[in-house]
Amino acid sequence: MEGRRFRRQTRTRGQTLLPLRFTHLSNTISCWYCDLKITCFNEPIYHFGQKHSRFLRVWFTIGTGFSLSLLLGVTMVLIWESFTTSWLTRESNKLSDLFDSLLFGVNPWALRFKMSLADLGYMIVATMISVMVHEFGHAAAAASEGIQLEYIAIFLAILFPGALIAFNYELLHSKPRASSLRIYCAGIWHNAVCCAACGLALLTLPVLLSPLYTHGDGPMVTEVSPSSPLSGYLSPRDVIISLEGTKISSAIDWMEITNSLERRSMASPNFDDMKGYLTINRTYCAPKSLVENCEKISSASNRSACPVEHVAFLSIPCFDLNSHSDSTGYCLSSADAVSLKSCGIMGMSESTCICSENELCLSPVQEPGVVWAEITYRNPYNHQCNSSTSDVSEENCQKSFLYVGDAFSLAHSVRLTSYQPRFSFPFGAYIPDLLEKTCVWTFQVSLALALLNSLPVYCLDGESIFEASSSYFTVFSSRRRRLLVRVYFFWGSVITCLVFVRTLFIKFW
């Protein structure tokens, strides 16, 4: 959160509970507000602004045009929201969902799930970078106009952190309106430039890291949660080759395929016959000794009779995979189900069936929301992979296992990176992921900060920008301009509060 800057030094502040004084300024602490004032950057920023004043004025003039356009765009979206959105229900439109996603910096629906400590760390770092870029924009714009900074403050108001810069407000008002607009719009403009820089860095990262890393040869596992259903199979530095027979080149491919599997599983038709739930092209050999001890189910109405952590299977004649006559259903435990070997592909010739006489060919019953995915992976950093014996290399470098469960756990319970180090060195596998996620989080937070300060609400940059630009509305008298400004910010503040309330308390819960 960013406070209304440039005016704090002209207001009379009430007596605080515990004023702390350092050098020339007081760092204030009270029951609802505390701040830390920094003056060591005043002279360097002022000299930088004066030295490059001609270039900076052109730079921030471009930023003024961008910020005014963004302010107009956000205002139009709020007008659309006020007429089309049902505020007290979960119903909304695509524009509303997109606006909420951009405003929060991340997809709001993703906030319903637990954020890891690593993600929290990325968010804190990205927030610090975005706020520093924002405030440096205001400070550099003020310095280029010949205004000396008084201090830079980092504050905490109740539970909301923020930052501001302070300088002579009377000197600012003595400047032309164009100068004031450049200063007010500089923060939003710098956040937009930061987003562009992060996007460019993400696009060029494979080229920049190519001397040390390969890209597009399969996602590499960097972390597997102990509670993950994949923890017994995958480990850090494993490289995933394919998922459900589809070759995977990057972490994005992994997410796209798992999302496709989830949509497919949720769209399973509701057949009355259990045979309609057969998983297409998937059959397994099960020892008769294992099947004999399993609970049998005879009809589709009993498919939910399997105990918890058990999977329903339907027996198939091994030498006629298309025949379903006299099929019997069985309940196998999940641990037994994932250990079964494939016995052929439905619709193929009998030569594809490899089950022995002591085994039954079973096909799993497709339950809505449950995916069956075969994952093939390898460990290229295993020293046995370089063995001259092909059997040893295949055994140790490429393996497969079957995952049975929900697609969300499959997609999010393991961390992947699209980069593989060419050489083995400490923490080498984590550096690209660190850079990539820092850029992604900084892009999201900086975009959210730019949009937040473009909102027509009190105490943010949008208020100062609209007040300064309202002087150009020469068709109105000064009295009508002031009335227009008050109505604009009152309406904008009300609609913005409704957007936040709807997003936080209705969409999330």
Side-chain angles (χ1 to χ4, degrees):
M1 181 183 115
E2 300 227 327
R4 177 78 180 278
R5 53 180 63 75
F6 320 130
R7 297 190 181 184
R8 290 175 48 79
Q9 64 276 14
T10 64
R11 297 177 180 175
T12 303
R13 180 178 297 173
Q15 180 63 40
T16 58
L17 298 180
L18 181 61
L20 304 178
R21 299 188 178 277
F22 298 94
T23 62
H24 303 290
L25 297 171
S26 62
N27 297 276
T28 307
I29 297 178
S30 70
C31 60
W32 63 276
Y33 178 88
C34 64
D35 62 19
L36 173 65
K37 299 181 178 67
I38 304 171
T39 59
C40 59
F41 298 110
N42 292 359
E43 291 300 324
I45 292 177
Y46 183 77
H47 288 311
F48 171 80
Q50 288 294 290
K51 182 178 180 180
H52 305 283
S53 59
R54 181 175 299 179
F55 167 77
L56 289 177
R57 287 176 183 174
V58 175
W59 172 253
F60 290 118
T61 299
I62 299 173
T64 299
F66 174 85
S67 300
L68 290 175
S69 301
L70 185 61
L71 180 66
L72 177 62
V74 170
T75 302
M76 297 302 294
V77 171
L78 287 177
I79 293 175
W80 177 265
E81 291 258 312
S82 64
F83 286 105
T84 63
T85 303
S86 180
W87 297 106
L88 300 179
T89 67
R90 295 179 180 269
E91 298 178 1
S92 60
N93 49 61
K94 293 182 178 180
L95 180 62
S96 171
D97 294 336
L98 176 62
F99 181 71
D100 295 342
S101 300
L102 295 177
L103 187 60
F104 279 89
V106 294
N107 190 338
W109 293 103
L111 298 180
R112 298 179 68 178
F113 303 102
K114 183 179 180 181
M115 180 179 293
S116 66
L117 291 177
D119 290 336
L120 182 61
Y122 283 120
M123 186 178 67
I124 293 174
V125 171
T127 302
M128 293 175 61
I129 294 174
S130 301
V131 170
M132 285 191 296
V133 168
H134 185 101
E135 296 303 330
F136 177 76
H138 288 301
S144 67
E145 301 293 342
I147 300 177
Q148 177 74 52
L149 300 183
E150 293 187 2
Y151 59 83
I152 301 173
I154 302 173
F155 66 85
L156 182 67
I158 307 178
L159 296 177
F160 297 96
L164 57 85
I165 61 172
F167 43 75
N168 194 314
Y169 181 66
E170 295 179 356
L171 181 60
L172 174 63
H173 265 259
S174 66
K175 297 288 183 179
R177 286 295 184 183
S179 298
S180 301
L181 268 177
R182 283 195 289 266
I183 296 174
Y184 292 140
C185 295
I188 297 174
W189 171 236
H190 268 211
N191 280 133
V193 173
C194 182
C195 290
C198 291
L200 181 62
L202 289 172
L203 291 176
T204 59
L205 197 59
V207 178
L208 297 176
L209 297 178
S210 58
L212 298 176
Y213 297 89
T214 62
H215 182 269
D217 294 335
M220 186 175 65
V221 179
T222 58
E223 180 184 351
V224 183
S225 172
S227 60
S228 169
L230 305 178
S231 61
Y233 303 94
L234 297 177
S235 58
R237 300 175 72 94
D238 284 343
V239 176
I240 298 177
I241 300 174
S242 64
L243 174 61
E244 195 58 12
T246 303
K247 181 177 174 56
I248 295 181
S249 301
S250 63
I252 297 178
D253 292 344
W254 170 268
M255 297 300 298
E256 290 178 350
I257 296 176
T258 52
N259 290 336
S260 176
L261 291 175
E262 183 178 22
R263 290 193 299 268
R264 191 188 311 168
S265 67
M266 297 304 296
S268 299
N270 187 20
F271 293 113
D272 292 333
D273 187 355
M274 179 184 271
K275 299 167 191 176
Y277 277 84
L278 288 179
T279 302
I280 300 176
N281 293 342
R282 190 174 295 284
T283 53
Y284 299 95
C285 294
K288 291 183 178 179
S289 58
L290 174 65
V291 174
E292 289 174 354
N293 298 325
C294 295
E295 180 181 349
K296 294 183 179 181
I297 47 179
S298 58
S299 65
S301 61
N302 293 327
R303 64 179 180 268
S304 61
C306 290
V308 179
E309 298 184 354
H310 280 64
V311 181
F313 280 83
L314 194 65
S315 63
I316 303 293
C318 189
F319 297 104
D320 187 4
L321 297 180
N322 290 318
S323 175
H324 304 294
S325 59
D326 299 327
S327 298
T328 304
Y330 299 91
C331 292
L332 274 66
S333 68
S334 301
D336 293 332
V338 297
S339 63
L340 299 179
K341 64 179 181 180
S342 176
C343 65
I345 301 178
M346 296 178 62
M348 301 292 289
S349 63
E350 63 181 47
S351 60
T352 59
C353 183
I354 61 174
C355 295
S356 65
E357 295 181 357
N358 296 324
E359 295 177 327
L360 291 178
C361 187
L362 302 180
S363 181
V365 174
Q366 177 66 62
E367 295 286 352
V370 177
V371 299
W372 290 70
E374 184 175 350
I375 302 173
T376 303
Y377 68 98
R378 61 186 173 89
N379 189 338
Y381 303 100
N382 190 325
H383 68 280
Q384 296 187 18
C385 290
N386 298 322
S387 173
S388 59
T389 304
S390 59
D391 293 340
V392 174
S393 178
E394 179 71 17
E395 176 68 21
N396 292 278
C397 296
Q398 184 166 318
K399 299 180 181 179
S400 299
F401 66 92
L402 179 67
Y403 170 82
V404 180
D406 65 283
F408 183 84
S409 297
L410 175 65
H412 298 277
S413 63
V414 60
R415 289 185 177 272
L416 302 174
T417 177
S418 301
Y419 298 86
Q420 299 180 34
R422 299 181 184 272
F423 316 99
S424 180
F425 54 94
F427 306 105
Y430 302 96
I431 294 176
D433 186 59
L434 177 67
L435 295 175
E436 194 172 38
K437 290 188 175 179
T438 300
C439 289
V440 170
W441 275 96
T442 303
F443 178 91
Q444 294 177 335
V445 174
S446 192
L447 177 61
L449 194 60
L451 288 173
L452 187 67
N453 280 279
S454 300
L455 291 172
V457 299
Y458 294 106
C459 301
L460 295 177
D461 287 350
E463 179 185 6
S464 301
I465 293 172
F466 190 79
E467 282 184 349
S469 59
S470 65
S471 61
Y472 294 99
F473 302 157
T474 54
V475 295
F476 298 108
S477 63
S478 58
R479 180 173 175 273
R480 290 186 175 182
R481 284 200 301 268
R482 288 194 297 269
L483 179 61
L484 175 65
V485 169
R486 285 196 296 267
V487 171
Y488 177 74
F489 286 117
F490 174 78
W491 173 86
S493 299
V494 170
I495 298 299
T496 301
C497 290
L498 289 175
V499 169
F500 274 92
V501 170
R502 183 201 62 204
T503 305
L504 290 175
F505 296 100
I506 296 180
K507 282 192 175 182
F508 289 175
W509 291 283

